[in-house]
Amino acid sequence: MASIDEIAATLRTVAAAGMKPKNLLAAVRERHPEASKKEVVRAAFYALIENQTQGQARDQDPGLEQAADLHAFAIQARAADEEPPVKRSRLRKKKAPAPKPAAEAPVF
């Protein structure tokens, strides 16, 4: 099983400007077939965070567009896994039970 570092490194090498998330996931799975979508998404976020913590200035960073594509992929894939929001609906009033007919006294 590939570590998050290895998948993040693969993401940095295969990510290209304008690449669709589906194609990016397929490219990563060619090198890491056992990686789940969730692991790839986590690695994309990890790659972004690691890139920012290395102290590179944004205006000097040649991989800024690549980072934007990785971020878009991670956000889109993460949002797709989440459940849709629950819609609130009005509560229905319960219908009153039909009145029972009065019991007649038996005639003898």
Side-chain angles (χ1 to χ4, degrees):
M1 176 174 274
S3 71
I4 197 167
D5 288 330
E6 294 169 349
I7 297 172
T10 301
L11 278 166
R12 281 189 221 97
T13 59
V14 299
M19 192 173 201
K20 293 185 178 183
K22 190 175 187 179
N23 297 339
L24 184 58
L25 185 61
V28 171
R29 284 198 173 152
E30 284 179 7
R31 295 186 189 180
H32 306 283
E34 74 285 348
S36 69
K37 182 178 178 181
K38 190 174 188 177
E39 290 173 330
V40 175
V41 171
R42 286 182 179 170
F45 277 118
Y46 177 79
L48 290 171
I49 293 167
E50 185 178 299
N51 188 34
Q52 291 300 318
T53 58
Q54 289 178 353
Q56 296 176 350
R58 285 184 162 250
D59 50 345
Q60 296 175 355
D61 187 10
L64 183 60
E65 194 170 346
Q66 181 186 26
D69 289 338
L70 284 175
H71 184 260
F73 163 72
I75 292 294
Q76 182 181 12
R78 183 171 181 237
D81 290 344
E82 293 176 358
E83 295 180 15
V86 176
K87 293 183 180 179
R88 297 182 76 182
S89 62
R90 292 186 175 192
L91 296 176
R92 291 187 229 149
K93 291 184 179 179
K94 292 184 179 180
K95 293 183 180 180
K100 294 182 181 180
E104 296 181 21
V107 178
F108 290 103

